[in-house]
C-alpha cells in the first residue's frame, strides 16, 4: 500500500488531521518524502480563521501569493478581507489570472481545478498619497499611544503626550489634524500657556519641547496628509458585493514605502478602531473580516511596553468580535511571544541559513511548531517557492499535525493591474465621493489662533492707551512748565498789605486765640472761668 492510500502511514495520519467536515479553505497538497500527494489535501476550517495566523518566510518564497490564495477563497465564501499591499503587486486580485504552463503544472500537481477569476475589490491609499480612496484618521482617533509610536517617543514622553491629549479634551480643543496637536503643544510651552502646563500634572517644559520638535519633524516627512477629516469609517471594510462575495479592501502602500513606521502604525489604528466599534459575537461559522498585516515586523520595531500591551490585548480580544488577523513577516521571531501565542494558524515558507543569525532564527522557528514527523530544520531550508510548512486549528480548536504543503495557485492575476485600470476602479467607487475631498473645520488650531489673535489685539489696545496716557501726561507737564516760566503780575495794594511782616505777626496772634476757641468747640473742652 502506498503512502497516498495507507491511513496508518505518517502521511495518512497527517492528512487525517485535515479531514474537516465543515466549510474549509483549500491550501494545497501534502508533501511527504519529497513527493507531492494530490489526494492528501491540506485545508483550514473557515470557522477558525478568526483565531488569527502567521504567514512567514524569507523574501521571494511566496508569502504574497499565499495571502492572495487565502484572500480569494475567503471572498468566495462571503468573508470580507483587508490586504496591505506594500510592494504594489496585490491589486491583481481584482482581475482574472492568466493561464500558462506553470499554472497548469501546479494545478495538476495539487489536484486543483484552476480557472481564472477576479474578486470584488476596493483600493485605498493613506491620506490619498498614491492611487486609492483616501484613508484618514483624526489625531484624537489615533490616540496618544499610537501617536507616540510614530513620533518615536520614550515611555516618559508617551505619558506626557497622554496628558496633552487629556488637556485638549477637557478644554474642548478638538485634535483633528497635526496642526491642531502642534498648536496645543506650542501653546503649553509659550509664556501664555505655562500656567496651564503646571496645572495638568507632571509635564515639564523640556518634555513638551521634545514632543513639539518630534511633531515638527514628523510633519516634514509628509505625514500631514494622513490626519484629518473625513475620518474613515472602518466598518466599510465589512461589506460584501452584490453577488454575496466578500469585498477585498486593498491598501496601496508603494507611495509611502519610505515611511514604514507610519503605515504599520496606521494599520494598527485600523485594527484597534474595528475592535472598539464592533460588538461581541463569540464564535461564528465564518469571520466578519480577515485582516492581513504585511511587513508586521515594522509594527514591533522600537515599540514601547504600553504599545506592545495594546497590540497583545487587541489581538487577544478581537477574535470575539469576529475578526481574524494574519501577520505576514519573515520569521516568527519578528513577532513578540505574547502576540505569537495568539496565532493559531501557521503558514511557514522557506527560511535561509546563510549566516549565524539565520541559523539561530531557524532553530527558534522550529521550536514554535508542535512535535512533527518531519526534520523541520532540514525541511524549512529545502522548501521551494510556493511550498510551506502548515499547522492550523481543527474545528475543535486543537492544532493539526505539521504538514509540508505544495500550495495551490491563485486564480486572480499574480501581479499588479495597470495604472489606468487602478485609477478607473478608484474613481468608480461609491466611497470615493465620500472620502476623496479633505475637510478642514474649526478645531484646536483655529480656536487657539483666534484666542491668541484676540489677546494680541487686547495687548495692542492696552499699549496704545498707555502710550496715549503717557503723551497726555507729558503734555500736561509741558503746560505746567510753561506756566511757571510766565512773569508774575505786580501785586495789588491789598496783597502788599497782607504780605507785609506786620500783618503776618498780627494774624498769628489773632489766629492763636481763635484757634483755641475753635478747638474747644470741636473737642468739647469748656472755657475756664475767671
Amino acid at each position: 500500500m502506498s503512502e497516498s492510500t495507507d491511513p496508518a502511514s505518517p502521511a495518512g495520519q497527517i492528512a487525517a488531521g485535515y479531514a474537516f467536515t465543515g466549510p474549509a479553505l483549500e491550501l494545497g497538497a501534502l508533501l511527504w518524502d519529497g513527493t507531492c500527494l494530490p489526494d492528501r489535501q491540506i485545508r483550514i476550517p473557515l470557522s477558525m480563521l478568526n483565531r488569527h495566523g502567521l504567514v512567514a518566510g524569507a523574501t521571494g518564497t511566496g508569502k504574497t501569493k499565499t495571502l492572495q490564495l487565502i484572500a480569494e477563497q475567503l471572498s468566495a465564501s462571503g468573508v470580507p478581507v483587508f490586504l496591505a499591499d506594500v510592494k504594489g503587486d496585490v491589486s491583481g486580485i481584482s482581475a482574472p489570472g492568466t493561464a500558462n504552463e506553470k499554472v497548469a503544472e501546479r494545478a495538476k500537481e495539487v489536484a486543483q481545478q484552476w480557472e481564472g477569476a477576479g474578486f470584488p475589490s476596493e483600493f485605498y491609499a493613506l491620506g490619498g498619497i498614491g492611487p486609492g480612496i483616501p484613508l484618514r484618521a483624526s489625531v484624537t482617533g489615533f490616540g496618544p499611544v499610537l501617536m507616540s509610536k510614530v513620533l518615536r517617543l520614550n515611555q516618559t514622553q508617551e505619558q506626557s503626550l497622554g496628558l496633552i491629549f487629556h488637556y485638549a479634551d477637557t478644554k474642548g480643543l478638538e485634535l483633528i489634524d497635526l496642526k491642531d496637536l502642534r498648536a496645543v503643544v506650542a501653546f503649553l510651552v509659550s509664556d501664555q500657556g505655562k500656567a496651564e502646563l503646571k496645572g495638568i500634572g507632571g509635564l515639564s517644559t523640556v518634555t513638551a519641547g521634545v514632543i513639539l520638535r518630534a511633531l515638527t519633524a514628523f510633519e516634514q516627512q509628509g505625514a500631514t496628509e494622513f490626519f484629518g477629516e473625513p475620518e474613515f469609517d472602518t466598518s466599510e471594510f465589512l461589506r460584501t458585493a452584490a453577488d454575496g462575495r466578500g469585498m477585498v479592501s486593498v491598501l496601496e502602500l508603494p507611495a509611502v514605502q519610505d515611511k514604514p513606521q507610519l503605515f504599520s502604525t496606521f494599520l494598527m489604528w485600523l485594527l484597534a478602531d474595528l475592535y472598539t466599534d464592533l460588538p461581541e459575537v463569540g464564535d461564528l461559522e465564518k469571520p466578519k473580516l480577515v485582516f492581513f498585516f504585511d511587513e508586521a515586523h515594522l509594527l514591533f520595531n522600537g515599540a514601547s511596553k504600553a504599545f506592545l500591551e495594546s497590540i497583545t490585548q487587541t489581538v487577544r480580544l478581537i477574535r470575539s468580535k469576529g475578526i481574524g488577523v494574519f501577520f505576514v513577516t519573515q520569521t516568527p521571531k519578528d513577532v513578540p511571544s505574547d502576540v505569537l501565542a495568539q496565532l493559531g494558524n501557521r503558514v511557514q515558507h522557506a527560511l535561509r541559513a546563510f549566516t549565524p543569525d539565520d541559523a539561530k532564527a531557524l532553530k527558534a522557528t522550529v521550536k514554535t511548531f508542535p512535535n512533527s514527523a518531519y526534520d523541520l530544520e532540514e525541511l524549512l531550508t529545502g522548501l521551494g517557492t510556493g511550498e510551506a510548512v502548515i499547522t492550523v486549528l481543527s474545528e475543535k480548536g486543537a492544532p493539526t499535525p505539521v504538514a509540508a504543503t505544495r500550495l495551490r495557485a491563485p486564480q486572480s492575476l499574480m501581479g499588479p493591474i495597470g495604472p489606468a485600470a487602478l485609477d478607473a476602479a478608484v474613481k468608480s467607487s461609491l466611497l470615493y465621493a465620500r472620502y476623496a475631498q479633505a475637510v478642514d473645520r474649526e478645531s484646536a488650531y483655529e480656536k487657539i489662533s483666534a484666542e491668541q489673535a484676540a489677546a494680541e489685539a487686547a495687548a495692542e489696545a492696552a499699549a496704545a492707551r498707555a502710550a496715549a496716557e503717557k503723551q497726555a501726561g507729558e503734555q500736561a507737564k509741558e503746560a505746567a512748565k510753561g506756566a511757571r516760566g510766565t512773569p508774575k503780575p505786580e501785586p495789588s495794594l491789598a496783597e502788599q498789605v497782607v504780605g507785609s511782616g506786620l500783618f503776618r505777626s498780627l494774624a498769628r496772634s489773632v489766629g492763636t486765640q481763635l484757634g483755641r476757641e475753635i478747638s474747644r468747640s470741636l473737642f468739647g473742652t469748656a472755657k475756664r472761668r475767671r
Side-chain angles (χ1 to χ4, degrees):
M1 187 176 292
S2 68
E3 285 282 0
S4 62
T5 57
D6 184 4
S9 67
Q13 292 175 359
I14 293 171
Y18 294 85
F20 310 124
T21 57
L25 308 186
E26 304 289 343
L27 298 180
L30 181 66
L31 284 170
W32 182 258
D33 199 20
T35 303
C36 184
L37 307 177
D39 57 339
R40 303 294 195 183
Q41 292 294 306
I42 304 303
R43 312 160 73 213
I44 179 172
L46 186 60
S47 60
M48 290 292 111
L49 265 297
N50 70 330
R51 300 301 178 95
H52 312 320
L54 176 72
V55 179
T59 301
T61 55
K63 297 190 300 295
T64 301
K65 300 301 178 287
T66 296
L67 65 89
Q68 189 171 342
L69 171 67
I70 296 174
E72 289 176 354
Q73 295 186 63
L74 285 168
S75 176
S77 300
V79 178
V81 177
F82 177 91
L83 296 173
D85 186 10
V86 177
K87 297 184 291 292
D89 54 4
V90 182
S91 61
I93 198 169
S94 63
T98 303
N100 55 47
E101 291 184 4
K102 287 186 176 180
V103 169
E105 182 181 358
R106 176 58 62 96
K108 181 179 179 181
E109 290 173 344
V110 300
Q112 176 186 10
Q113 298 297 317
W114 189 91
E115 183 178 351
F119 296 83
S121 303
E122 294 275 19
F123 298 97
Y124 300 94
L126 288 187
I129 296 181
I133 299 162
L135 291 186
R136 300 183 186 90
S138 69
V139 170
T140 295
F142 210 69
V145 175
L146 290 177
M147 185 61 71
S148 297
K149 176 69 164 58
V150 294
L151 294 180
R152 301 186 179 186
L153 303 181
N154 62 31
Q155 187 172 359
T156 300
Q157 294 159 357
E158 179 180 316
Q159 293 168 350
S160 297
L161 186 62
L163 290 174
I164 293 170
F165 271 69
H166 176 69
Y167 169 80
D169 184 53
T170 56
K171 296 295 184 180
L173 300 172
E174 297 89 347
L175 300 178
I176 295 175
D177 50 28
L178 289 182
K179 71 177 185 293
D180 291 326
L181 180 57
R182 179 162 44 81
V184 172
V185 179
F187 168 74
L188 289 174
V189 297
S190 68
D191 292 338
Q192 185 181 357
K194 283 181 180 178
E196 300 284 334
L197 192 65
K198 293 179 182 178
I200 64 178
L203 179 62
S204 72
T205 305
V206 173
T207 300
V210 170
I211 294 172
L212 185 60
R213 289 192 295 274
L215 190 58
T216 301
F218 189 47
E219 289 178 303
Q220 290 173 348
Q221 294 170 11
T224 304
E225 300 293 332
F226 307 128
F227 297 94
E229 289 183 326
E231 185 173 62
F232 187 75
D233 183 355
T234 51
S235 66
E236 306 283 10
F237 296 144
L238 304 178
R239 295 178 300 128
T240 55
D243 60 5
R245 291 184 296 171
M247 188 68 69
V248 181
S249 298
V250 182
L251 178 58
E252 293 293 330
L253 294 169
V256 291
Q257 283 191 75
D258 58 337
K259 302 175 180 66
Q261 194 127 21
L262 176 64
F263 72 67
S264 64
T265 311
F266 202 96
L267 291 179
M268 193 62 218
W269 169 77
L270 295 177
L271 196 59
D273 194 68
L274 283 167
Y275 167 73
T276 301
D277 292 346
L278 292 176
E280 295 279 340
V281 294
D283 291 326
L284 302 173
E285 292 183 358
K286 60 183 181 181
K288 287 185 174 182
L289 172 73
V290 176
F291 194 102
F292 288 90
F293 211 126
D294 203 1
E295 301 292 340
H297 64 283
L298 299 171
L299 180 68
F300 303 108
N301 287 348
S304 68
K305 182 180 179 182
F307 184 75
L308 291 177
E309 288 174 352
S310 177
I311 294 174
T312 304
Q313 182 184 38
T314 301
V315 172
R316 184 173 66 250
L317 298 179
I318 203 170
R319 177 189 67 79
S320 62
K321 307 281 183 105
I323 305 296
V325 183
F326 274 70
F327 292 96
V328 185
T329 189
Q330 294 195 5
T331 70
K333 72 180 182 65
D334 292 333
V335 180
S337 57
D338 287 345
V339 178
L340 193 63
Q342 308 296 322
L343 311 182
N345 304 299
R346 300 277 299 278
V347 181
Q348 178 66 60
H349 288 265
L351 292 174
R352 309 302 181 212
F354 299 137
T355 69
D357 285 343
D358 291 342
K360 185 178 180 180
L362 175 61
K363 290 182 180 295
T365 299
V366 170
K367 290 179 181 179
T368 64
F369 280 91
N371 291 333
S372 169
Y374 298 93
D375 180 345
L376 287 180
E377 282 195 39
E378 181 180 350
L379 178 62
L380 286 173
T381 56
L383 291 171
T385 302
E387 296 177 346
V389 172
I390 292 174
T391 180
V392 301
L393 294 179
S394 70
E395 292 166 311
K396 296 181 179 180
T400 58
V402 175
T405 307
R406 183 161 293 164
L407 298 165
R408 292 186 168 213
Q411 292 178 276
S412 57
L413 183 65
M414 289 188 279
I417 59 175
L422 180 58
D423 185 66
V426 171
K427 298 291 177 60
S428 64
S429 171
L430 296 176
L431 300 181
Y432 185 78
R434 190 178 307 170
Y435 294 106
Q437 187 62 46
V439 176
D440 187 13
R441 64 182 176 90
E442 184 185 58
S443 49
Y445 172 79
E446 287 78 14
K447 290 180 179 180
I448 290 175
S449 297
E451 289 180 2
Q452 289 177 335
E456 289 173 1
E460 288 176 0
R465 287 195 299 271
E469 291 172 358
K470 182 179 180 181
Q471 184 177 8
E474 290 175 351
Q475 290 175 348
K477 288 180 180 179
E478 289 295 327
K481 183 178 179 182
R484 286 195 300 270
T486 305
K488 292 183 178 180
E490 289 294 325
S492 65
L493 177 61
E495 288 172 336
Q496 292 178 19
V497 171
V498 171
S500 67
L502 178 62
F503 181 84
R504 287 196 296 272
S505 176
L506 178 62
R508 279 196 300 271
S509 176
V510 174
T512 301
Q513 181 64 27
L514 181 61
R516 291 195 186 101
E517 295 298 328
I518 292 173
S519 298
R520 291 191 186 103
S521 66
L522 287 176
F523 295 105
T525 57
K527 181 178 180 182
R528 287 185 298 174
R529 298 180 181 275
R530 292 182 182 270

